[in-house]
Amino acid sequence: MVTGFLGSGKTTLIARLVRHPEMNRVAVVINEVGEIGIDHDLVAMSTENIALLANGCICCSVRTDLQETLRDLFARRRAGEIADFDRVIIETTGLADPAPVVQTLLADNLVSAHFRLDGLVTLVDAANAAQQLAHHAEPAKQIALADRVFVTKSDIAPAEAVDDLRAAIAQINPGAQVSLVLHGEVEPRSLTGLGLASARAGEATLRFLGEALHGEGSGGDKRLGARPALHDGAIRTLSLHFDTPFTWNGFSAALELLATLRGPDLLRVKGIVNVEGAPVVVQGVQHIFHPPVPLDRWPGEDRRTRLVFITRHIEAAVIRELLQAVARVAAAADPL
């Protein structure tokens, strides 16, 4: 999924992507086909909102809601009405909160049976990010939920502004990969492979979890402390480590309680949990959580539970104390 505030360059990026040879088995869901200027690449219109491009890429505009659009794409592919595709890239509007879109993919049983969220990419405009982060809630939330951040327009922004922006991104979401992108020039593969593809542990698992999960402290690069924070101070990143293994029932009950009471402010959760000695990957957005993924082995020597919470208006101590209480209860439980 591709998101970003107004003017961040999503249209430019998508327009270049749909012309790439590697996009021949990809469907792109956007708000309006005509906005990305692909008319000269159209081969045929399957329906009024589905276009087949010269390289085999399928473009689809959202005329109703996302669930219906994805169901329609799947049904038409199965019926042979449109070309087969392996992946869908969803572009959200500039003012969109990405959390409900993620929740749609997880909560709709029919959609989740056929589509799996690989990751969320956010574009951030280096020339205007400071003002946007200071006056709007959406840009910080789009960054907070991102697996990867593309900083655009760095060629027309002062170098110090770019450095400050990278610092702000690290403060909001220290686990996100950050890259500079000019004029939408990206390889399609840079938008893929961001999620956990299998239960096999390894370096890919650690990359998916993010560097913040196996570092110390509360997240962020300490070298960036001298730079000003550009985002709303209500958004916090908390990295937690626990030596005591959890029981799954206890850990999931704690997360369920937290999500029930503060779901809208629980922007993102990602981590690896020691469940009675076994590694389990968890991730969620607000009150919706992906199914847990038990790994075949630990990806390294560290056997601790490592969790990163990105929250809004939730004190770090609240989450820490809740999970510490669960860990103490698990440690004191009588063996079966």
Side-chain angles (χ1 to χ4, degrees):
M1 181 163 62
V2 178
T3 187
F5 200 63
L6 299 170
S8 60
K10 299 187 302 301
T11 295
T12 300
L13 182 140
I14 295 295
R16 289 189 178 276
L17 275 178
V18 298
R19 294 178 172 88
H20 199 284
E22 292 184 15
M23 294 286 288
N24 63 328
R25 293 181 62 87
V26 175
V28 180
V29 176
I30 57 179
N31 293 315
E32 180 56 57
V33 170
E35 289 183 0
I36 63 173
I38 57 173
D39 292 345
H40 64 282
D41 285 329
L42 297 184
V43 173
M45 295 293 291
S46 301
T47 68
E48 66 173 1
N49 68 320
I50 295 182
L52 177 64
L53 306 189
N55 64 350
C57 176
I58 299 167
C59 269
C60 176
S61 62
V62 179
R63 296 290 177 85
T64 53
D65 58 40
L66 181 60
Q67 288 123 307
E68 186 173 335
T69 299
L70 291 175
R71 290 172 185 169
D72 185 52
L73 276 175
F74 178 77
R76 290 172 183 269
R77 182 184 71 168
R78 170 171 278 183
E81 296 178 13
I82 59 175
D84 199 7
F85 57 87
D86 299 324
R87 185 177 297 274
V88 178
I89 295 176
I90 301 169
E91 180 208 356
T92 69
T93 66
L95 293 173
D97 176 353
V101 182
V102 174
Q103 291 169 4
T104 292
L105 298 175
L106 297 176
D108 186 295
N109 291 333
L110 181 59
V111 171
S112 62
H114 302 294
F115 298 93
R116 176 181 60 83
L117 179 65
D118 183 25
L120 192 149
V121 174
T122 295
L123 276 63
V124 185
D125 176 355
N128 299 292
Q131 182 179 7
Q132 292 169 350
L133 286 166
H135 295 94
H136 301 278
E138 292 85 2
K141 198 166 184 181
Q142 291 166 352
I143 293 170
L145 269 64
D147 296 287
R148 182 158 196 172
V149 176
F150 288 141
V151 175
T152 62
K153 304 182 185 178
S154 60
D155 55 333
I156 60 173
E160 185 175 357
V162 176
D163 291 340
D164 286 343
L165 177 57
R166 296 188 74 131
I169 293 170
Q171 291 169 347
I172 297 171
N173 186 351
Q177 304 174 54
V178 182
S179 304
L180 300 182
V181 171
L182 294 178
H183 313 299
E185 293 283 358
V186 298
E187 294 293 324
R189 66 192 69 179
S190 67
L191 278 72
T192 63
L194 303 178
L196 194 62
S198 74
R200 297 186 62 185
E203 286 300 316
T205 302
L206 292 178
R207 284 196 301 272
F208 163 69
L209 292 174
E211 289 296 323
L213 297 185
H214 43 96
E216 297 293 341
S218 59
D221 189 340
K222 292 180 174 59
R223 295 172 299 175
L224 303 174
R227 293 200 174 276
L230 302 182
H231 64 91
D232 184 349
I235 294 181
R236 298 180 175 89
T237 298
L238 171 66
S239 296
L240 295 178
H241 300 78
F242 296 93
D243 297 317
T244 303
F246 290 92
T247 65
W248 178 251
N249 287 341
F251 178 80
S252 60
L255 278 191
E256 184 177 348
L257 176 62
L258 187 61
T260 299
L261 296 176
R262 301 298 303 272
D265 296 321
L266 195 63
L267 301 184
R268 186 153 194 188
V269 181
K270 184 184 283 192
I272 183 169
V273 184
N274 185 325
V275 178
E276 299 178 293
V280 177
V281 171
V282 297
Q283 60 170 324
V285 173
Q286 294 186 329
H287 64 281
I288 302 294
F289 280 80
H290 296 247
V293 179
L295 298 180
D296 63 343
R297 57 186 171 82
W298 286 92
E301 296 300 319
D302 195 344
R303 300 293 195 268
R304 296 175 301 167
T305 291
R306 291 104 77 188
L307 296 164
V308 169
F309 291 84
I310 300 177
T311 66
R312 182 179 54 194
H313 300 298
I314 302 179
E315 293 296 330
V318 172
I319 300 176
R320 183 182 289 110
E321 291 168 6
L322 173 62
L323 291 175
Q324 284 175 338
V326 171
R328 286 194 296 269
V329 170
D334 292 330
L336 297 177

